[in-house]
Amino acid sequence: MFADYRLCKKPDQQLQLLDEVAVTMRSYQDVRLIVDYSDISAGPNYMAKLKEYGNTVFKKHMKCSAVLGITGLKKILFNGYQLATGAKHVKAFSSKDEALDWLVKFE
C-alpha cells in the first residue's frame, strides 16, 4: 500500500488520507506500507490521530512500513511516534528505491 502525502498541504487533507489508509488497512493483514511525507509538515492533530491508529489499526494490520521525507523536525516527530506506539517495523529512508527494497525483503 502507498500513502502519498506530497499533495496534502492542508491539515484536513492529511487527516482524510490517514483515515482512508486506516479504513483500507482494516480489510487486510500483514500490510506492507510505504508513506511519503516529502515537502509537507504534519500538525498536532495529525500526529495525535497517527499515534491513535499506530496503537490500534496499524499495530494489528501492518507488517512493516517504509517512510520517506523524514528530515529536520520530522525526525523528532518520527522518533516520538516510534516511542509512543512501540512501532519496531517502521523505518525511514532517503530514497524510494531503498524503501521498496526493504519492504520486499522484510520478513
Side-chain angles (χ1 to χ4, degrees), residues 42-102:
N45 292 338
Y46 178 86
M47 291 307 298
K49 182 65 93 169
L50 180 63
K51 288 175 187 173
E52 177 187 324
Y53 285 143
N55 282 315
T56 56
V57 177
F58 299 162
K59 191 172 277 188
K60 183 175 180 182
H61 297 277
M62 185 175 70
K63 181 170 186 150
C64 58
S65 179
V67 185
L68 300 168
I70 302 298
T71 59
L73 179 60
K74 287 187 274 187
K75 286 183 183 181
I76 295 168
L77 295 172
F78 179 76
N79 292 338
Y81 169 80
Q82 287 184 302
L83 287 172
T85 63
K88 296 178 181 154
H89 306 306
V90 179
K91 188 172 176 181
F93 292 90
S94 58
S95 81
K96 190 173 182 179
D97 288 338
E98 288 177 312
L100 289 171
D101 188 52
W102 180 79

